[in-house]
Amino acid sequence: MALLGMLLGLLMASCFTFCLSHQNPEFALTSPEKSSTKEAERKETTAEEELDSEVLEVFHPTHEWQALRPGQAVPVGSHVRLNLQTGTREVKLQEEDKFQSNLKALKKGKRLDINANTYTSQDLKSALAKFKEGTEVESSKEDKARQAKIKRLFRPIEELKKDFEELNVVIETDMQIMVRLINKFNSSSSSLEEKIAALFDLEYYVHQMDNAQDLLSFGGLQVVINGLNSTEPLVKEYAAFVLGAAFSSNPKVQVEAIEGGALQKLLVILATEQPLTAKKKVLFALCSLLRHFPYAQQQFLKLGGLQVLRSLVQAKGTEVLAVRVVTLLYDLVTEKMFAEEEAELTQETPPEKLQQYRQVHLLPGLREQGWCEITAHLLALPEHDAREKVLQTLGALLATCRDRYHQDPQLSRTLVSLQAEYQALATLELQDGEDEGYFRELLGSINSLLKELR
C-alpha cells in the first residue's frame, strides 16, 4: 500500500509539471481581445509616425465596410472607424449627399497637381495651404463685392451735401436751427405768427439737455426770457413754454435763468391779469425752475412767491391752477425732507446743496401764509385726481399744520364724507377682483388723516 501511494504521488506531480510547462502566460491576468486591441493601436501609432515621408497608397472605399491596411490613405469624405473587436480600421463611403457636398467644397479651391493613386504627407500639407489661400482669396472677393454693393446703396455725405446745395437745400445741425429760430423770433421784421411759430419749433429742440445748454452759448436763453416782457399774451405764453422745457432737470440752464431774471418775470405774469392759458405755461416754467434747485426756492420765498400763488389759487375759475400749485408745494416739501434724510443715511448729498436746502424755510412760510386752511378747503374739488394730490399735501403738512387742522371743523366733516364715498368705491373694486385698487389707496390716506386728527 505504501508503494502504491508513492506511485500515485509521482504520477500527479508529473501531470502538474506538464500543465505548467504548456500554460499561456497571458491567459490568467489579461483579456486576449483587449490585449490585441492595445497592441494594434500601438502598432498603428508607430506606423503613422513612420509614414511622414513615405508614399501613401490610395484606398478606394465602397458603400460597405472594408478593412484598411497600414500605409493606405482614403479620399476626403470617406467614413473611417476603429473596429474594437478586431482592432483594425475600417472605411466606407459616406452618404451620397454629404460626399457630393464635400466634393463641391473641394472644387471651390485650387486644383492640386498630385498623382491620382499616391500622395505624401507633404502633399497633404501643401494642399491644405493652397486650400486656405483659395478660401482667403474668395473671402476677399466677397468682401469687395459687399463693399461695392454698399457703395451703390449709400452715398457719402459730401456728395449729398453737394446735391442739396445744387437743389438749394441746406442740411442744418440742431445748433444752426436754434440760432435761426432765435433770430426769427428776435427780428423786428417778423410777424406775430412767425414769432409764435419760431418759439413753438424751438420748444421741440430744447427738450434735449444738450440743446438747452447750447442755447446759452449764443445768448438764446436770454432772448426768450426777455420775451416774457412782451405785450402780446401769446408771446409770453410760448416764451414760458420754451423756458419750462429748457429748465426741466437742467441745473446749468436753471442757474443762468435765475441770473437772467427769469424768476421775477414769471412771478409778475402770475400776479397780473393774464389769460388762463398763459398762466398755465408760466406756472409750468416756474415749477421747472424751482424743482431740485434750492437756491431758486430761497429767492422764490424772498420775492413773495407764496403770496402770488395764494392769490392765484383763490381767484375764481382757477381750479386747474390750484391743483398744480398744490402739487408744486407737495414736491418742494418732500424734496427738502428727502434731501435731509438722504444726507443722514448715506452722506451722499453734497454739503453745499444740503446747506442751501436748510436755508429754504418753506414750512413756516406756508403756515404763516394760511396754506394749511387753503389746502384743506381744496378737498371740495370734485375730481378724484385733484383730491388725491390735496390729500398728499395735507399729509406732508401734517406736522406743521396739525393744530390748524384741529381748529377747522369743516375739514373733519369733509374727510368723513369722503371716507364714506371711497369706502363704497373700494368695495366695488374688491368685487371686481382688484385687491389694491385706486380708491382703496385714497381711502387709506383719508383714514390715516382722520386717525391723526382724533
Side-chain angles (χ1 to χ4, degrees):
M1 293 296 292
L3 182 60
L4 181 60
M6 292 177 62
L7 290 174
L8 288 174
L10 290 173
L11 180 61
M12 292 177 65
S14 300
C15 291
F16 182 76
T17 302
F18 176 80
C19 290
L20 288 177
S21 65
H22 289 81
Q23 183 181 1
N24 188 347
E26 296 179 357
F27 179 76
L29 300 178
T30 61
S31 170
E33 184 177 354
K34 294 183 179 178
S35 177
S36 61
T37 301
K38 293 180 180 178
E39 183 66 21
E41 292 178 355
R42 185 184 62 79
K43 291 180 179 179
E44 288 175 5
T45 303
T46 304
E48 288 175 357
E49 294 175 352
E50 295 174 353
L51 285 178
D52 186 58
S53 60
E54 293 182 2
V55 176
L56 304 178
E57 178 185 356
V58 178
F59 179 82
H60 299 284
T62 65
H63 289 286
E64 301 295 333
W65 288 108
Q66 300 182 66
L68 184 67
R69 297 193 305 275
Q72 288 185 316
V74 296
V76 176
S78 301
H79 191 176
V80 181
R81 74 177 184 182
L82 177 65
N83 193 322
L84 297 179
Q85 295 181 352
T86 62
T88 60
R89 288 192 300 173
E90 298 179 346
V91 62
K92 75 169 184 177
L93 291 176
Q94 292 190 14
E95 298 296 331
E96 185 65 21
D97 54 348
K98 295 182 180 179
F99 185 63
Q100 293 295 333
S101 64
N102 289 332
L103 289 179
K104 291 179 181 179
L106 284 177
K107 290 180 181 178
K108 292 183 180 179
K110 292 186 177 181
R111 298 179 60 86
L112 305 179
D113 186 15
I114 59 175
N115 188 286
N117 295 323
T118 62
Y119 57 88
T120 65
S121 60
Q122 188 62 35
D123 292 331
L124 289 175
K125 295 178 182 179
S126 177
L128 180 59
K130 292 180 180 180
F131 178 75
K132 290 182 178 179
E133 179 182 354
T135 303
E136 293 176 356
V137 171
E138 182 151 349
S139 176
S140 177
K141 291 180 179 179
E142 292 178 355
D143 291 341
K144 291 180 180 179
R146 181 174 58 82
Q147 294 175 1
K149 183 178 179 181
I150 292 176
K151 288 182 178 180
R152 290 194 301 269
L153 293 176
F154 303 98
R155 299 171 58 192
I157 187 64
E158 291 76 13
E159 294 183 8
L160 292 175
K161 287 183 177 180
K162 184 177 180 180
D163 291 345
F164 281 129
E165 288 176 359
E166 295 176 356
L167 295 172
N168 293 326
V169 178
V170 180
I171 299 178
E172 296 179 299
T173 63
D174 287 357
M175 181 74 163
Q176 293 171 332
I177 293 173
M178 291 191 298
V179 170
R180 177 172 55 81
L181 292 174
I182 287 293
N183 291 334
K184 174 67 70 173
F185 169 70
N186 202 33
S187 175
S188 58
S189 61
S190 299
S191 63
L192 177 61
E193 290 75 12
E194 289 174 335
K195 291 184 176 183
I196 298 304
L199 290 173
F200 183 82
D201 292 340
L202 184 62
E203 188 272 341
Y204 169 79
Y205 287 97
V206 298
H207 271 289
Q208 299 184 31
M209 181 178 293
D210 293 339
N211 285 344
Q213 294 180 4
D214 289 340
L215 197 64
L216 307 176
S217 62
F218 60 93
L221 181 68
Q222 191 61 50
V223 173
V224 180
I225 292 175
N226 293 338
L228 297 175
N229 295 329
S230 174
T231 57
E232 292 290 343
L234 278 177
V235 174
K236 294 179 181 179
E237 176 181 344
Y238 281 91
F241 192 36
V242 173
L243 294 174
F247 296 159
S248 298
S249 302
N250 205 328
K252 187 175 181 180
V253 180
Q254 288 175 320
V255 171
E256 292 291 334
I258 286 292
E259 295 178 354
L263 180 59
Q264 295 90 327
K265 297 181 187 328
L266 292 173
L267 291 176
V268 168
I269 296 176
L270 291 175
T272 57
E273 189 68 26
Q274 300 291 338
L276 182 62
T277 55
K279 289 194 174 184
K280 284 182 180 179
K281 296 294 193 300
V282 171
L283 184 58
F284 162 65
L286 179 65
C287 294
S288 299
L289 181 59
L290 296 181
R291 285 191 174 98
H292 305 290
F293 191 10
Y295 178 75
Q297 296 171 21
Q298 295 177 38
Q299 300 304 312
F300 168 76
L301 296 177
K302 291 179 180 180
L303 293 173
L306 289 179
Q307 294 92 317
V308 173
L309 295 183
R310 182 182 62 184
S311 300
L312 185 66
V313 168
Q314 292 177 336
K316 293 182 179 180
T318 59
E319 289 79 8
V320 176
L321 298 180
V323 175
R324 298 185 182 185
V325 169
V326 168
T327 304
L328 171 64
L329 297 178
Y330 171 79
D331 291 342
L332 297 182
V333 171
T334 55
E335 178 185 314
K336 178 182 178 181
M337 185 186 308
F338 291 152
E340 293 180 348
E341 290 179 355
E342 183 180 10
E344 293 177 0
L345 295 176
T346 63
Q347 303 295 326
E348 293 181 358
T349 304
E352 296 180 1
K353 192 169 186 179
L354 180 60
Q355 186 63 29
Q356 290 180 2
Y357 272 118
R358 288 175 177 171
Q359 294 176 5
V360 179
H361 305 295
L362 179 60
L363 288 174
L366 291 173
R367 179 183 173 88
E368 293 174 3
Q369 296 294 328
W371 281 97
C372 300
E373 295 80 6
I374 294 172
T375 307
H377 294 163
L378 291 176
L379 274 179
L381 293 173
E383 295 83 8
H384 298 302
D385 181 65
R387 292 174 180 174
E388 177 187 13
K389 292 180 172 58
V390 173
L391 286 170
Q392 290 176 344
T393 308
L394 288 173
L397 299 177
L398 182 61
T400 302
C401 301
R402 186 186 300 272
D403 58 336
R404 299 291 180 90
Y405 291 166
H406 280 292
Q407 297 171 7
D408 188 356
Q410 182 62 34
L411 175 59
S412 298
R413 289 194 295 268
T414 303
L415 288 174
V416 171
S417 176
L418 292 177
Q419 183 185 42
E421 178 182 350
Y422 286 116
Q423 181 65 59
L425 293 173
T427 302
L428 292 177
E429 284 182 332
L430 286 175
Q431 293 176 356
D432 294 337
E434 300 181 18
D435 295 335
E436 297 181 356
Y438 174 73
F439 296 116
R440 284 179 59 84
E441 292 182 2
L442 289 181
L443 180 61
S445 300
I446 294 171
N447 292 336
S448 298
L449 275 175
L450 286 173
K451 183 178 179 181
E452 293 289 340
L453 297 179
R454 288 173 182 170

